Coordinates of all heavy atoms in Angstrom, one line a residue:
M1 N -14.2 4.2 -17.8 CA -13.1 3.6 -17.1 C -13.4 2.1 -16.9 O -14.5 1.7 -16.5 CB -12.9 4.3 -15.8 CG -11.6 3.8 -15.0 SD -11.5 4.4 -13.4 CE -11.2 6.2 -13.7
A2 N -12.4 1.2 -17.2 CA -12.7 -0.2 -17.0 C -13.0 -0.5 -15.5 O -12.4 0.1 -14.6 CB -11.4 -1.0 -17.4
T3 N -14.0 -1.4 -15.3 CA -14.5 -1.6 -14.0 C -13.4 -2.4 -13.1 O -13.5 -2.4 -11.9 CB -15.8 -2.5 -14.0 OG1 -15.5 -3.6 -14.8 CG2 -16.9 -1.7 -14.5
N4 N -12.4 -3.0 -13.8 CA -11.4 -3.7 -13.1 C -10.1 -2.8 -13.0 O -9.0 -3.4 -12.7 CB -11.1 -5.0 -13.7 CG -10.4 -5.0 -15.0 OD1 -10.5 -3.9 -15.7 ND2 -9.7 -6.0 -15.4
S5 N -10.2 -1.5 -13.4 CA -9.0 -0.7 -13.4 C -8.5 -0.5 -11.9 O -9.3 -0.3 -11.0 CB -9.2 0.6 -14.1 OG -9.7 1.6 -13.2
H6 N -7.2 -0.4 -11.7 CA -6.6 -0.2 -10.4 C -7.2 1.1 -9.7 O -7.6 1.0 -8.6 CB -5.1 -0.1 -10.5 CG -4.4 0.2 -9.3 ND1 -4.2 -0.7 -8.3 CD2 -3.8 1.3 -8.8 CE1 -3.6 -0.2 -7.3 NE2 -3.3 1.1 -7.5
V7 N -7.2 2.2 -10.5 CA -7.5 3.4 -9.9 C -9.0 3.4 -9.5 O -9.4 4.0 -8.5 CB -7.2 4.6 -10.8 CG1 -7.7 5.9 -10.3 CG2 -5.7 4.7 -11.0
R8 N -9.8 2.8 -10.3 CA -11.3 2.7 -9.9 C -11.4 1.8 -8.6 O -12.1 2.2 -7.7 CB -12.1 2.1 -11.1 CG -13.6 2.0 -10.8 CD -14.4 1.5 -11.9 NE -15.8 1.7 -11.7 CZ -16.5 0.8 -11.0 NH1 -15.9 -0.3 -10.5 NH2 -17.8 1.0 -10.8
L9 N -10.8 0.7 -8.6 CA -11.0 -0.2 -7.5 C -10.4 0.4 -6.2 O -10.9 0.1 -5.1 CB -10.2 -1.6 -7.7 CG -10.9 -2.5 -8.7 CD1 -10.0 -3.7 -9.1 CD2 -12.2 -3.0 -8.2
A10 N -9.4 1.3 -6.3 CA -8.7 1.9 -5.2 C -9.4 3.1 -4.7 O -9.2 3.6 -3.6 CB -7.3 2.2 -5.5
H11 N -10.4 3.7 -5.5 CA -11.0 4.9 -5.2 C -11.9 4.8 -4.0 O -12.5 3.8 -3.8 CB -11.8 5.4 -6.4 CG -12.2 6.9 -6.3 ND1 -13.4 7.3 -5.8 CD2 -11.5 8.0 -6.6 CE1 -13.4 8.6 -5.8 NE2 -12.3 9.1 -6.3
P12 N -11.9 5.9 -3.1 CA -12.7 5.9 -1.9 C -14.2 5.5 -2.2 O -14.8 4.9 -1.4 CB -12.6 7.3 -1.3 CG -11.3 7.8 -1.9 CD -11.1 7.1 -3.2
S13 N -14.7 5.9 -3.4 CA -16.1 5.7 -3.7 C -16.4 4.2 -3.8 O -17.6 3.8 -3.7 CB -16.5 6.4 -5.0 OG -15.7 5.8 -6.1
Q14 N -15.4 3.4 -4.0 CA -15.5 1.9 -4.1 C -15.1 1.2 -2.8 O -15.1 0.0 -2.8 CB -14.7 1.4 -5.2 CG -14.9 2.0 -6.6 CD -16.3 1.9 -7.1 OE1 -16.8 0.7 -7.1 NE2 -16.9 3.0 -7.5
N15 N -14.7 2.0 -1.8 CA -14.2 1.4 -0.6 C -14.7 2.0 0.7 O -14.0 2.3 1.7 CB -12.6 1.5 -0.6 CG -12.0 0.7 -1.7 OD1 -11.8 -0.5 -1.6 ND2 -11.7 1.4 -2.8
D16 N -16.0 2.2 0.7 CA -16.7 2.8 1.9 C -16.0 4.1 2.4 O -15.9 4.3 3.6 CB -16.7 1.8 3.1 CG -17.6 0.6 2.8 OD1 -18.6 0.8 2.1 OD2 -17.2 -0.5 3.2
G17 N -15.5 4.9 1.4 CA -14.9 6.2 1.8 C -13.5 6.0 2.3 O -12.9 7.0 2.7
V18 N -12.9 4.8 2.4 CA -11.6 4.6 2.9 C -10.5 5.3 2.1 O -10.5 5.3 0.9 CB -11.3 3.1 3.0 CG1 -9.8 2.8 3.0 CG2 -11.9 2.5 4.2
Q19 N -9.6 6.0 2.8 CA -8.5 6.7 2.2 C -7.2 6.2 2.9 O -7.2 5.7 4.1 CB -8.6 8.2 2.4 CG -9.7 8.8 1.5 CD -9.8 10.3 1.7 OE1 -10.1 10.8 2.8 NE2 -9.4 11.0 0.7
M20 N -6.1 6.4 2.2 CA -4.8 6.1 2.9 C -3.7 7.0 2.4 O -3.9 7.5 1.2 CB -4.4 4.6 2.7 CG -4.2 4.2 1.2 SD -3.8 2.5 1.0 CE -5.4 1.7 1.4
L21 N -2.7 7.3 3.2 CA -1.6 8.1 2.8 C -0.6 7.2 2.1 O -0.1 6.3 2.8 CB -1.0 8.9 4.0 CG 0.2 9.7 3.7 CD1 -0.1 10.9 2.7 CD2 0.8 10.3 5.0
R22 N -0.3 7.4 0.8 CA 0.6 6.6 0.1 C 1.9 7.3 -0.2 O 1.9 8.5 -0.4 CB -0.1 6.1 -1.2 CG -1.2 5.2 -1.1 CD -2.0 5.0 -2.4 NE -2.5 6.3 -2.9 CZ -2.3 6.8 -4.1 NH1 -1.7 6.1 -5.0 NH2 -2.8 7.9 -4.4
R23 N 3.0 6.5 -0.3 CA 4.3 7.0 -0.6 C 5.0 5.9 -1.4 O 5.5 4.9 -0.8 CB 5.0 7.4 0.6 CG 6.3 8.1 0.4 CD 6.0 9.6 0.1 NE 7.3 10.3 0.2 CZ 8.1 10.6 -0.8 NH1 7.8 10.1 -2.0 NH2 9.2 11.3 -0.6
G24 N 5.0 6.0 -2.7 CA 5.6 4.9 -3.5 C 7.1 5.2 -3.8 O 7.4 6.4 -4.0
Y25 N 7.9 4.2 -3.8 CA 9.3 4.3 -4.2 C 9.6 3.4 -5.4 O 9.6 2.2 -5.2 CB 10.2 4.0 -3.0 CG 10.1 4.9 -1.8 CD1 9.1 4.6 -0.8 CD2 10.8 6.1 -1.7 CE1 9.0 5.5 0.3 CE2 10.7 6.9 -0.7 CZ 9.8 6.6 0.3 OH 9.6 7.5 1.4
N26 N 9.8 4.0 -6.5 CA 10.2 3.2 -7.7 C 11.7 2.7 -7.5 O 12.5 3.4 -6.9 CB 10.2 4.1 -9.0 CG 8.8 4.6 -9.3 OD1 7.9 3.8 -9.3 ND2 8.7 5.8 -9.6
F27 N 11.9 1.5 -8.0 CA 13.3 1.0 -7.9 C 13.7 0.4 -9.3 O 12.8 -0.2 -10.0 CB 13.6 0.1 -6.8 CG 12.9 -1.3 -6.9 CD1 13.6 -2.3 -7.6 CD2 11.6 -1.5 -6.5 CE1 12.9 -3.5 -7.7 CE2 11.0 -2.7 -6.6 CZ 11.7 -3.7 -7.3
T28 N 14.9 0.4 -9.6 CA 15.5 -0.3 -10.8 C 16.8 -0.9 -10.3 O 17.6 -0.3 -9.8 CB 15.8 0.7 -12.0 OG1 14.7 1.5 -12.2 CG2 16.1 -0.1 -13.2
D29 N 16.8 -2.3 -10.5 CA 18.0 -3.0 -9.9 C 18.7 -3.8 -11.0 O 18.9 -5.0 -10.8 CB 17.5 -3.9 -8.7 CG 18.5 -4.1 -7.7 OD1 19.6 -3.5 -7.8 OD2 18.3 -5.0 -6.9
G30 N 18.9 -3.2 -12.1 CA 19.6 -3.9 -13.2 C 18.7 -4.9 -13.9 O 17.5 -4.7 -13.9
S31 N 19.3 -5.9 -14.5 CA 18.5 -7.0 -15.2 C 18.5 -8.3 -14.5 O 19.5 -8.6 -13.7 CB 19.2 -7.2 -16.6 OG 19.2 -6.0 -17.3
N32 N 17.5 -9.1 -14.7 CA 17.5 -10.4 -14.1 C 18.2 -11.4 -15.0 O 18.7 -11.0 -16.0 CB 16.1 -10.8 -13.7 CG 15.2 -11.0 -14.9 OD1 15.7 -11.2 -16.0 ND2 13.9 -11.1 -14.7
E33 N 18.1 -12.7 -14.6 CA 18.9 -13.7 -15.4 C 18.4 -13.9 -16.8 O 19.1 -14.5 -17.6 CB 18.9 -15.1 -14.6 CG 17.6 -15.7 -14.3 CD 16.8 -15.1 -13.1 OE1 17.3 -14.1 -12.5 OE2 15.8 -15.7 -12.8
L34 N 17.2 -13.4 -17.1 CA 16.6 -13.5 -18.4 C 16.8 -12.2 -19.2 O 16.4 -12.1 -20.3 CB 15.1 -13.8 -18.4 CG 14.7 -15.1 -17.7 CD1 13.1 -15.2 -17.6 CD2 15.2 -16.3 -18.6
G35 N 17.6 -11.3 -18.6 CA 17.8 -10.1 -19.3 C 16.7 -9.1 -19.2 O 16.7 -8.0 -19.9
R36 N 15.7 -9.4 -18.4 CA 14.6 -8.5 -18.2 C 14.9 -7.5 -17.1 O 15.6 -7.8 -16.1 CB 13.3 -9.3 -17.9 CG 12.8 -10.1 -19.0 CD 11.6 -10.8 -18.7 NE 11.1 -11.7 -19.8 CZ 10.5 -12.8 -19.6 NH1 10.3 -13.3 -18.4 NH2 10.1 -13.5 -20.7
L37 N 14.3 -6.3 -17.3 CA 14.6 -5.3 -16.3 C 14.0 -5.7 -14.9 O 12.9 -6.2 -14.8 CB 13.8 -4.0 -16.8 CG 14.2 -2.7 -16.0 CD1 15.6 -2.3 -16.2 CD2 13.3 -1.6 -16.5
D38 N 14.9 -5.6 -13.9 CA 14.4 -5.9 -12.6 C 14.0 -4.6 -11.9 O 14.8 -3.9 -11.4 CB 15.6 -6.6 -11.8 CG 15.2 -7.0 -10.4 OD1 14.0 -6.9 -10.0 OD2 16.1 -7.5 -9.6
A39 N 12.8 -4.3 -12.0 CA 12.3 -3.0 -11.6 C 10.9 -3.1 -11.0 O 10.2 -4.1 -11.2 CB 12.3 -2.0 -12.7
G40 N 10.5 -2.1 -10.2 CA 9.2 -2.2 -9.6 C 8.9 -1.0 -8.7 O 9.6 0.1 -8.8
L41 N 8.0 -1.2 -7.8 CA 7.6 -0.2 -6.9 C 7.5 -0.7 -5.5 O 6.9 -1.7 -5.3 CB 6.2 0.3 -7.4 CG 5.5 1.4 -6.5 CD1 6.1 2.8 -6.8 CD2 4.0 1.4 -6.6
F42 N 8.2 0.0 -4.6 CA 7.9 -0.3 -3.2 C 6.7 0.5 -2.8 O 6.7 1.7 -2.8 CB 9.1 0.2 -2.3 CG 10.3 -0.6 -2.5 CD1 11.5 0.0 -2.9 CD2 10.4 -2.0 -2.2 CE1 12.7 -0.7 -3.1 CE2 11.6 -2.7 -2.4 CZ 12.7 -2.0 -2.8
F43 N 5.6 -0.2 -2.5 CA 4.4 0.5 -2.2 C 4.3 0.7 -0.6 O 4.4 -0.3 0.1 CB 3.1 -0.3 -2.7 CG 1.8 0.3 -2.2 CD1 1.2 1.3 -3.0 CD2 1.2 -0.1 -1.0 CE1 0.0 1.8 -2.6 CE2 0.0 0.5 -0.6 CZ -0.6 1.4 -1.4
V44 N 4.2 1.9 -0.2 CA 4.1 2.2 1.3 C 2.8 2.9 1.5 O 2.5 3.9 0.8 CB 5.3 3.0 1.8 CG1 5.2 3.2 3.3 CG2 6.6 2.3 1.4
A45 N 2.0 2.5 2.5 CA 0.8 3.2 2.9 C 0.7 3.4 4.4 O 1.1 2.5 5.1 CB -0.4 2.4 2.4
F46 N 0.3 4.5 4.8 CA 0.1 4.8 6.2 C -1.4 4.8 6.5 O -2.1 5.5 5.9 CB 0.7 6.2 6.5 CG 2.2 6.3 6.3 CD1 2.7 6.7 5.1 CD2 3.1 6.0 7.3 CE1 4.1 6.8 4.8 CE2 4.4 6.1 7.1 CZ 4.9 6.5 5.9
V47 N -1.8 3.9 7.4 CA -3.2 3.8 7.8 C -3.3 3.7 9.3 O -2.3 3.3 10.0 CB -3.8 2.6 7.2 CG1 -3.9 2.7 5.6 CG2 -3.2 1.3 7.6
R48 N -4.4 4.1 9.9 CA -4.7 4.0 11.3 C -5.1 2.5 11.7 O -4.7 2.0 12.7 CB -5.8 4.9 11.8 CG -5.3 6.4 11.8 CD -6.5 7.3 12.3 NE -6.1 8.7 12.2 CZ -5.5 9.3 13.2 NH1 -5.2 8.7 14.3 NH2 -5.1 10.5 13.0
D49 N -5.8 1.9 10.8 CA -6.3 0.6 11.1 C -6.2 -0.3 9.8 O -7.1 -0.2 9.0 CB -7.8 0.7 11.6 CG -8.3 -0.6 12.0 OD1 -7.7 -1.7 11.8 OD2 -9.4 -0.6 12.7
P50 N -5.2 -1.2 9.7 CA -5.0 -2.0 8.5 C -6.2 -2.9 8.2 O -6.6 -3.1 7.1 CB -3.8 -2.9 8.9 CG -3.1 -2.1 10.0 CD -4.1 -1.4 10.7
E51 N -6.9 -3.3 9.3 CA -8.1 -4.2 9.1 C -9.2 -3.5 8.4 O -10.0 -4.1 7.7 CB -8.6 -4.8 10.4 CG -7.8 -6.1 10.7 CD -8.4 -6.8 11.9 OE1 -8.6 -6.1 13.0 OE2 -8.5 -8.0 11.9
V52 N -9.3 -2.2 8.6 CA -10.4 -1.4 8.0 C -9.9 -0.8 6.7 O -10.6 -0.8 5.7 CB -10.9 -0.3 8.9 CG1 -11.9 0.6 8.3 CG2 -11.5 -1.0 10.2
Q53 N -8.7 -0.2 6.7 CA -8.3 0.6 5.5 C -7.5 -0.2 4.5 O -7.7 0.0 3.3 CB -7.4 1.7 6.0 CG -8.3 2.8 6.7 CD -7.4 3.7 7.6 OE1 -6.9 3.3 8.6 NE2 -7.1 4.9 7.0
Y54 N -6.6 -1.1 4.9 CA -5.7 -1.7 3.9 C -6.2 -3.1 3.5 O -6.3 -3.4 2.2 CB -4.3 -1.9 4.5 CG -3.4 -2.3 3.4 CD1 -2.8 -1.4 2.5 CD2 -3.1 -3.6 3.2 CE1 -2.0 -1.7 1.5 CE2 -2.2 -4.0 2.2 CZ -1.7 -3.1 1.3 OH -0.9 -3.5 0.3
I55 N -6.5 -4.0 4.4 CA -6.7 -5.4 4.0 C -7.9 -5.6 3.1 O -7.8 -6.3 2.1 CB -6.8 -6.3 5.3 CG1 -5.4 -6.3 6.0 CG2 -7.2 -7.7 5.0 CD1 -5.4 -6.9 7.4
P56 N -9.1 -5.0 3.3 CA -10.2 -5.2 2.4 C -9.9 -4.7 1.0 O -10.2 -5.4 0.0 CB -11.3 -4.3 3.0 CG -10.9 -4.1 4.4 CD -9.5 -4.1 4.5
M57 N -9.1 -3.6 0.9 CA -8.8 -3.1 -0.4 C -7.8 -4.0 -1.1 O -8.0 -4.4 -2.3 CB -8.2 -1.7 -0.3 CG -8.0 -1.0 -1.7 SD -7.1 0.6 -1.5 CE -8.3 1.6 -0.7
Q58 N -6.8 -4.4 -0.4 CA -5.8 -5.3 -1.0 C -6.4 -6.7 -1.4 O -6.1 -7.2 -2.5 CB -4.7 -5.6 0.0 CG -3.6 -6.6 -0.4 CD -2.8 -6.0 -1.6 OE1 -2.0 -5.2 -1.5 NE2 -3.1 -6.5 -2.8
T59 N -7.4 -7.2 -0.6 CA -8.0 -8.4 -0.9 C -8.8 -8.3 -2.2 O -8.8 -9.2 -3.1 CB -9.0 -8.8 0.3 OG1 -8.2 -8.9 1.4 CG2 -9.6 -10.2 0.0
R60 N -9.6 -7.2 -2.4 CA -10.4 -7.0 -3.6 C -9.4 -6.9 -4.8 O -9.7 -7.5 -5.9 CB -11.2 -5.8 -3.5 CG -12.6 -6.1 -2.9 CD -13.5 -4.9 -2.9 NE -13.9 -4.5 -4.2 CZ -14.0 -3.2 -4.6 NH1 -13.7 -2.2 -3.8 NH2 -14.4 -2.9 -5.8
M61 N -8.4 -6.1 -4.6 CA -7.4 -5.9 -5.7 C -6.8 -7.2 -6.2 O -6.6 -7.4 -7.4 CB -6.4 -4.9 -5.3 CG -6.9 -3.5 -5.4 SD -5.5 -2.5 -4.8 CE -6.3 -0.9 -5.0
S62 N -6.4 -8.0 -5.2 CA -5.7 -9.3 -5.6 C -6.6 -10.2 -6.4 O -6.1 -11.0 -7.2 CB -5.1 -10.0 -4.4 OG -6.2 -10.4 -3.6
A63 N -7.9 -10.0 -6.3 CA -8.8 -10.8 -7.1 C -9.3 -10.2 -8.4 O -9.6 -10.9 -9.3 CB -10.1 -11.2 -6.2
Q64 N -9.3 -8.8 -8.4 CA -10.0 -8.2 -9.5 C -9.1 -7.2 -10.3 O -9.4 -6.9 -11.5 CB -11.2 -7.3 -9.0 CG -12.2 -8.2 -8.3 CD -13.3 -7.2 -7.8 OE1 -13.7 -6.2 -8.4 NE2 -13.8 -7.6 -6.6
D65 N -8.0 -6.7 -9.7 CA -7.3 -5.6 -10.3 C -6.6 -6.0 -11.6 O -5.8 -6.9 -11.6 CB -6.2 -5.1 -9.3 CG -5.6 -3.8 -9.7 OD1 -5.8 -3.3 -10.8 OD2 -5.0 -3.2 -8.8
G66 N -6.9 -5.3 -12.7 CA -6.3 -5.5 -14.0 C -4.8 -5.3 -14.0 O -4.0 -5.9 -14.8
L67 N -4.3 -4.5 -13.1 CA -2.9 -4.2 -12.9 C -2.1 -5.5 -12.5 O -0.9 -5.6 -12.8 CB -2.7 -3.1 -11.9 CG -1.3 -2.5 -11.7 CD1 -0.8 -1.8 -12.9 CD2 -1.3 -1.5 -10.5
M68 N -2.8 -6.4 -11.9 CA -2.1 -7.6 -11.3 C -1.4 -8.4 -12.4 O -0.4 -9.1 -12.2 CB -3.1 -8.5 -10.6 CG -3.7 -8.0 -9.3 SD -2.4 -7.7 -8.1 CE -1.9 -9.4 -7.8
E69 N -1.9 -8.3 -13.7 CA -1.3 -9.0 -14.8 C 0.1 -8.6 -15.0 O 0.9 -9.3 -15.5 CB -2.2 -8.7 -16.0 CG -1.9 -9.5 -17.3 CD -2.7 -9.1 -18.4 OE1 -3.8 -8.5 -18.2 OE2 -2.3 -9.3 -19.6
Y70 N 0.5 -7.4 -14.6 CA 1.8 -6.8 -14.8 C 2.7 -6.8 -13.5 O 3.8 -6.3 -13.5 CB 1.7 -5.4 -15.4 CG 0.8 -5.4 -16.6 CD1 -0.5 -5.0 -16.5 CD2 1.4 -5.7 -17.8 CE1 -1.3 -5.0 -17.7 CE2 0.6 -5.7 -19.0 CZ -0.8 -5.4 -18.9 OH -1.5 -5.4 -20.0
L71 N 2.1 -7.4 -12.4 CA 2.8 -7.3 -11.2 C 3.3 -8.7 -10.7 O 2.6 -9.7 -10.9 CB 1.9 -6.7 -10.1 CG 1.4 -5.3 -10.3 CD1 0.6 -4.9 -9.1 CD2 2.6 -4.3 -10.4
Q72 N 4.3 -8.7 -9.9 CA 4.7 -9.9 -9.1 C 4.9 -9.4 -7.7 O 5.8 -8.6 -7.5 CB 5.9 -10.5 -9.7 CG 6.3 -11.8 -9.0 CD 7.5 -12.5 -9.6 OE1 8.4 -11.8 -10.2 NE2 7.5 -13.8 -9.5
H73 N 4.2 -9.9 -6.8 CA 4.3 -9.6 -5.4 C 5.5 -10.3 -4.8 O 5.6 -11.5 -5.0 CB 3.0 -10.0 -4.6 CG 3.1 -9.7 -3.2 ND1 3.3 -10.8 -2.3 CD2 3.1 -8.6 -2.4 CE1 3.4 -10.3 -1.1 NE2 3.3 -9.0 -1.1
T74 N 6.4 -9.6 -4.2 CA 7.6 -10.3 -3.7 C 7.7 -10.2 -2.1 O 8.5 -10.9 -1.6 CB 8.9 -9.7 -4.3 OG1 8.9 -8.3 -4.0 CG2 9.0 -9.9 -5.8
G75 N 6.9 -9.4 -1.5 CA 7.0 -9.4 0.0 C 6.2 -8.3 0.6 O 5.8 -7.3 -0.1
S76 N 5.9 -8.4 1.9 CA 5.2 -7.3 2.5 C 5.5 -7.3 4.0 O 6.0 -8.3 4.6 CB 3.7 -7.5 2.3 OG 3.2 -8.7 2.7
A77 N 5.2 -6.2 4.7 CA 5.4 -6.1 6.1 C 4.5 -5.1 6.7 O 4.0 -4.2 6.0 CB 6.9 -5.7 6.4
L78 N 4.2 -5.2 8.0 CA 3.3 -4.3 8.7 C 4.1 -3.8 9.9 O 4.7 -4.6 10.6 CB 2.1 -5.1 9.1 CG 1.0 -4.3 9.9 CD1 0.4 -3.2 9.1 CD2 -0.1 -5.3 10.4
F79 N 4.1 -2.5 10.0 CA 4.9 -1.9 11.1 C 3.9 -1.0 12.0 O 3.1 -0.3 11.4 CB 6.0 -1.0 10.6 CG 7.0 -1.7 9.8 CD1 6.9 -1.8 8.4 CD2 8.1 -2.3 10.4 CE1 7.9 -2.5 7.6 CE2 9.1 -3.0 9.6 CZ 8.9 -3.1 8.3
A80 N 4.1 -1.0 13.3 CA 3.4 -0.1 14.1 C 4.3 1.2 14.3 O 5.4 1.1 14.6 CB 3.1 -0.7 15.5
V81 N 3.7 2.3 13.9 CA 4.5 3.6 14.0 C 3.9 4.5 15.0 O 2.8 5.0 14.8 CB 4.5 4.3 12.6 CG1 5.3 5.6 12.7 CG2 5.0 3.4 11.5
P82 N 4.5 4.7 16.2 CA 3.9 5.5 17.2 C 3.9 7.0 16.8 O 4.7 7.4 16.0 CB 4.8 5.3 18.5 CG 6.1 4.8 17.9 CD 5.8 4.1 16.6
P83 N 3.0 7.7 17.4 CA 2.9 9.2 17.1 C 4.1 9.9 17.7 O 4.9 9.3 18.6 CB 1.6 9.6 17.7 CG 1.3 8.6 18.8 CD 1.9 7.3 18.3
G84 N 4.4 11.1 17.3 CA 5.5 11.9 17.9 C 5.3 12.1 19.4 O 4.2 12.0 19.9
A85 N 6.4 12.2 20.1 CA 6.3 12.4 21.6 C 6.2 13.9 21.9 O 6.9 14.7 21.4 CB 7.6 11.8 22.2
A86 N 5.3 14.2 22.8 CA 5.1 15.5 23.3 C 6.2 15.8 24.4 O 7.0 14.9 24.8 CB 3.7 15.7 23.9
Q87 N 6.3 17.0 24.9 CA 7.3 17.4 25.9 C 7.1 16.5 27.1 O 6.0 16.2 27.5 CB 6.9 18.9 26.3 CG 7.9 19.5 27.3 CD 9.2 19.9 26.6 OE1 9.2 20.3 25.4 NE2 10.3 19.8 27.3
D88 N 8.2 15.9 27.6 CA 8.3 15.0 28.8 C 7.6 13.7 28.5 O 7.3 12.9 29.5 CB 7.6 15.7 30.0 CG 8.4 17.0 30.4 OD1 9.6 17.0 30.2 OD2 7.7 17.9 30.9
E89 N 7.4 13.3 27.3 CA 6.8 12.0 27.0 C 7.9 11.2 26.3 O 8.8 11.8 25.7 CB 5.7 12.2 26.0 CG 4.3 11.9 26.5 CD 3.2 12.0 25.4 OE1 3.5 11.7 24.2 OE2 2.1 12.4 25.8
W90 N 7.8 9.9 26.3 CA 8.7 9.1 25.5 C 8.0 8.5 24.3 O 6.7 8.4 24.4 CB 9.4 8.0 26.4 CG 8.6 7.3 27.4 CD1 8.4 7.8 28.7 CD2 7.9 6.1 27.3 NE1 7.6 6.9 29.4 CE2 7.3 5.8 28.5 CE3 7.7 5.2 26.3 CZ2 6.5 4.7 28.8 CZ3 6.9 4.0 26.5 CH2 6.3 3.8 27.7
V91 N 8.8 8.1 23.3 CA 8.1 7.6 22.1 C 7.4 6.3 22.4 O 7.9 5.4 23.0 CB 9.2 7.4 21.0 CG1 8.6 6.7 19.7 CG2 9.9 8.7 20.6
G92 N 6.2 6.2 22.0 CA 5.4 5.0 22.2 C 4.6 5.0 23.5 O 4.0 4.0 23.8
Q93 N 4.7 6.1 24.3 CA 4.1 6.1 25.6 C 2.6 5.8 25.6 O 2.1 5.0 26.4 CB 4.4 7.4 26.3 CG 4.0 7.4 27.8 CD 4.6 8.6 28.5 OE1 5.6 9.3 28.0 NE2 4.1 9.0 29.6
G94 N 2.0 6.4 24.6 CA 0.5 6.1 24.5 C 0.2 4.7 24.3 O -0.9 4.2 24.6
L95 N 1.1 3.9 23.6 CA 0.8 2.5 23.4 C 1.2 1.6 24.5 O 0.5 0.6 24.8 CB 1.7 2.1 22.2 CG 1.2 2.4 20.8 CD1 2.3 1.9 19.7 CD2 -0.1 1.7 20.5
F96 N 2.3 2.0 25.2 CA 2.9 1.0 26.2 C 2.7 1.4 27.7 O 2.9 0.6 28.5 CB 4.4 0.8 25.9 CG 4.6 0.3 24.5 CD1 5.3 1.0 23.6 CD2 4.1 -1.0 24.1 CE1 5.5 0.6 22.3 CE2 4.3 -1.5 22.9 CZ 5.0 -0.7 21.9
A97 N 2.4 2.6 28.0 CA 2.3 3.1 29.4 C 1.1 2.5 30.1 O 0.1 2.3 29.4 CB 2.4 4.6 29.5
Ligands
LIG101 C1 2.9 -1.9 -6.6 C2 2.1 -1.8 -7.5 C3 1.2 -0.5 -7.7 C4 1.3 0.4 -8.7 C5 2.2 0.4 -9.9 C6 0.2 1.4 -8.4 C7 0.0 2.4 -9.3 C8 -1.0 3.4 -9.0 C9 -1.2 4.5 -9.9 C10 -0.4 4.9 -11.2 C11 -2.2 5.3 -9.3 C12 -2.8 6.6 -9.8 C13 -2.0 7.8 -9.6 C14 -1.9 8.1 -8.1 O1 -2.9 8.4 -7.5 O2 -0.8 7.9 -7.5 C15 -2.6 4.6 -8.1 C16 -3.6 5.0 -7.2 C17 -3.9 4.4 -6.0 N1 -3.4 3.2 -5.6 FE1 -2.0 2.1 -6.5 N2 -0.4 1.0 -7.3 C18 0.1 -0.1 -6.8 C19 -0.2 -0.8 -5.6 C20 -1.2 -0.4 -4.8 C21 -1.6 -1.1 -3.6 C22 -1.0 -2.4 -3.1 C23 -2.7 -0.4 -3.0 C24 -3.5 -0.6 -1.8 C25 -3.9 -1.8 -1.4 C26 -2.9 0.8 -3.8 C27 -3.8 1.8 -3.6 C28 -4.0 2.9 -4.3 C29 -4.9 4.0 -4.0 C30 -5.7 4.1 -2.7 C31 -4.9 4.9 -5.0 C32 -5.6 6.3 -5.1 C33 -7.0 6.1 -5.6 C34 -7.8 7.4 -5.6 O3 -7.9 8.0 -4.6 O4 -8.3 7.7 -6.6 N3 -2.0 0.7 -4.9 N4 -1.8 3.4 -7.9

């Protein structure tokens, strides 16, 4: 396997055992002004600690990943997602109470 392949760089064995729950959403949005397909992937990952699980992996990939040749990054966002609420609890209570 190529040492700069996406799957190798993303594998836990190359990232101190780090794992993440991923949910990709493919999209196709017609053609752009050059007649090229306007398509891609919304990459979504669920992690407990972005500084430990996401940022180091993304930083390495942006420098080394062979897949980058075929990608154009258009935006990103980070959301805090509170856990489910137990009986008599409100959503986010563990974070804000
Ligand atoms: C948007 C462009 C991306 C494409 C097209 C893409 C594509 C793929 C494909 C085809 C695989 C192998 C099949 C699978 O496990 O689903 C994979 C695995 C993986 N990708 Fe991506 N990916 C993208 C972005 C990212 C980003 C931004 C990250 C995180 C920084 C990431 C992290 C991972 C991880 C952790 C694996 C599993 C590695 C393993 O456990 O072996 N990917 N990706």
Side-chain angles (χ1 to χ4, degrees):
M1 185 188 290
T3 53
N4 69 339
S5 87
H6 176 74
V7 175
R8 183 175 187 278
L9 289 171
H11 194 267
S13 63
Q14 306 297 311
N15 294 280
D16 295 324
V18 155
Q19 290 180 291
M20 58 182 74
L21 177 63
R22 291 168 298 130
R23 187 80 165 90
Y25 294 91
N26 295 312
F27 71 89
T28 312
D29 207 10
S31 303
N32 66 17
E33 62 280 3
L34 295 173
R36 293 181 179 145
L37 192 63
D38 182 7
L41 177 80
F42 292 119
F43 175 89
V44 181
F46 297 88
V47 296
R48 286 181 185 272
D49 187 344
E51 274 187 312
V52 172
Q53 289 161 282
Y54 190 83
I55 295 171
M57 188 185 291
Q58 177 66 76
T59 303
R60 271 185 68 220
M61 283 178 175
S62 63
Q64 300 175 36
D65 193 345
L67 188 65
M68 291 300 292
E69 191 181 336
Y70 305 97
L71 298 180
Q72 183 179 30
H73 175 257
T74 54
S76 56
L78 178 64
F79 299 93
V81 182
Q87 187 75 35
D88 300 326
E89 249 183 33
W90 38 274
V91 175
Q93 189 165 341
L95 280 176
F96 301 115

